[in-house]
Amino acid sequence: MSEINKRPVILDGDPGHDDAVAWVIAAKCEEFDIKAITTVAGNQTLEKVTYNAQRIAALCGIDCPIAKGAAVPLVGNLIIAPGYHGVSGLDGPKLPEPKRAIENIPAVELMAKVLKESKDKVTIIATGPQTNVACLLLAHPELKEKIEVISLMGGGLRNGNWTAPAEFNILEDPEAAYIEYHSGVPIIMAGLDVTEKAMIFPSEWEEFRNMGNDVARTVAEWLDFFFKHLHEIGWEGATLHDPCAVLALVHPEIFTMKDMYIEIETKGEYCRGETVPDWDNRLGKDSNVKVILDLDRVRFVELLKEYTRKYGGK
Ligand code: RIB
Ligand code: CA
């Protein structure tokens, strides 16, 4: 694919094992021209997820500016998830040291720079709390029209995974999500409705260990670690949330999507951070989100393998 036809992309996330797998895939998507990586605190602190972002970029050969974003949500205190991702935020295999230093501008300004300089609209793949994206929309409303789509992992129409109704990324910063979902910018939402079905089983990721390239082996060892806690709490496989936000852009055919109006609950003692679906359009509002409801799991796993094989070996 010629350089001129590629989709300019910003990867924003809180790596995090599933962010890491998402970026492994993104780095081999020929349709993408990755313009920047921006980090946001979530799975671990900002310092830790940023160091992880640098190491993932070094591992995958992603050579683009990397900038640090929000260390805390817009309102409230940071929640981290060491139970799932470990003390480092990316426990498991040894990773290469960073090849690129962190930019001396904040994430929002790097995002704005990419949007301003791009002759085409830019896609933002946001797989952490939505704080950086919200800050971009608040600080640079004039650049909204330069955003093609925000493909995000977050929310869930029927359940949460951190509180009963709220999913981690949205619960971390509901005000940020509210700003985003009311911005008018096109959104593809990979919520728990699809990501809890985007499961890979230990027998399936065994193949990665024997592919003959370091990235595939690293993915297998990331999944070994990520699955530990999931298995302890009753899951039969590893739920790969963030890769859905990448694959929805390059293989929409494996997903089932529905345009809906979604509201973000920012109040409520029990429901803060809930993504509330207007299933029957009772509010009479135009849809603000393309929600992913289902996927072909077998094809999803096949694609994970296809992209990982692109790093070499057999
Ligand atoms: O709820 C799952 C989401 O929260 C994923 O993006 C995971 O990486 C964490 O950020
Ligand atoms: Ca994430």
Side-chain angles (χ1 to χ4, degrees):
M1 179 174 275
S2 71
E3 207 60 38
I4 52 173
N5 296 332
K6 291 200 170 195
R7 175 195 288 260
V9 166
I10 295 170
L11 300 176
D12 181 82
D14 61 338
H17 292 74
D18 53 334
D19 304 75
V21 177
W23 294 4
V24 161
I25 297 167
K28 288 299 181 188
C29 288
E30 290 175 2
E31 303 87 334
F32 290 172
D33 175 10
I34 299 174
K35 293 292 190 184
I37 287 174
T38 51
T39 58
V40 57
N43 286 320
Q44 259 298 353
T45 62
L46 182 62
E47 291 310 314
K48 291 182 176 181
V49 300
T50 303
Y51 179 49
N52 294 339
Q54 288 179 285
R55 296 191 293 166
I56 297 163
L59 176 74
C60 298
I62 303 174
D63 185 19
C64 72
I66 303 173
K68 289 197 294 193
V72 291
L74 293 177
V75 176
N77 301 315
L78 178 66
I79 308 165
I80 58 173
Y84 289 90
H85 302 281
V87 170
S88 74
L90 197 54
D91 280 18
K94 181 169 171 41
L95 297 174
E97 283 306 303
K99 287 185 178 167
R100 267 193 89 127
I102 300 301
E103 300 295 307
N104 60 10
I105 56 172
V108 169
E109 292 317 306
L110 178 58
M111 293 167 118
K113 183 171 184 292
V114 169
L115 292 178
K116 283 175 192 162
E117 292 177 355
S118 178
K119 64 176 175 42
D120 298 318
K121 289 190 174 188
V122 177
T123 293
I124 300 174
I125 301 176
T127 56
Q130 300 298 304
T131 316
N132 292 341
V133 178
C135 291
L136 171 69
L137 295 170
L138 291 173
H140 296 280
E142 77 286 358
L143 294 176
K144 273 201 303 190
E145 62 186 15
K146 289 298 292 292
I147 303 174
E148 175 77 27
V149 63
I150 301 165
S151 187
L152 64 84
M153 191 280 142
L157 305 188
R158 292 189 166 85
N159 61 276
N161 65 356
W162 206 264
T163 61
E167 176 277 327
F168 180 82
N169 284 340
I170 305 299
L171 178 64
E172 182 83 84
D173 199 336
E175 283 74 17
Y178 183 93
I179 289 162
E180 191 175 41
Y181 280 53
H182 286 262
S183 69
V185 173
I187 295 171
I188 298 172
M189 170 180 160
L192 297 175
D193 315 276
V194 64
T195 69
E196 288 184 337
K197 298 172 192 165
M199 187 176 287
I200 185 169
F201 297 103
S203 58
E204 292 171 322
W205 77 70
E206 203 49 39
E207 195 174 324
F208 288 76
R209 228 182 293 279
N210 310 313
M211 272 183 190
N213 73 66
D214 283 347
V215 174
R217 178 186 48 73
T218 303
V219 168
E221 292 173 10
W222 277 335
L223 292 172
D224 292 341
F225 181 90
F226 188 46
F227 180 53
K228 274 182 195 157
H229 184 59
L230 284 166
H231 188 54
E232 284 165 4
I233 59 174
W235 291 89
E236 292 303 310
T239 46
L240 283 178
H241 305 284
D242 296 336
C244 292
V246 172
L247 290 175
L249 294 166
V250 288
H251 286 282
E253 73 280 359
I254 74 165
F255 296 101
T256 305
M257 304 188 194
K258 178 179 172 61
D259 291 325
M260 297 180 75
Y261 181 74
I262 303 283
E263 194 52 89
I264 306 295
E265 179 56 74
T266 57
K267 300 175 181 60
E269 187 175 350
Y270 303 108
C271 295
R272 176 169 163 78
E274 182 175 4
T275 48
V276 184
D278 187 10
W279 288 109
D280 302 320
N281 197 19
R282 296 177 192 280
L283 299 172
K285 293 186 175 183
D286 293 339
S287 70
N288 56 347
V289 184
K290 190 176 289 294
V291 184
I292 309 178
L293 297 174
D294 203 350
L295 87 167
D296 177 338
R297 190 200 73 83
V298 171
R299 186 75 187 104
F300 172 80
V301 173
E302 282 172 1
L303 285 168
L304 290 179
K305 293 177 182 175
E306 281 175 31
Y307 281 103
T308 310
R309 275 195 206 96
K310 290 174 185 266
Y311 287 88
K314 48 189 184 295

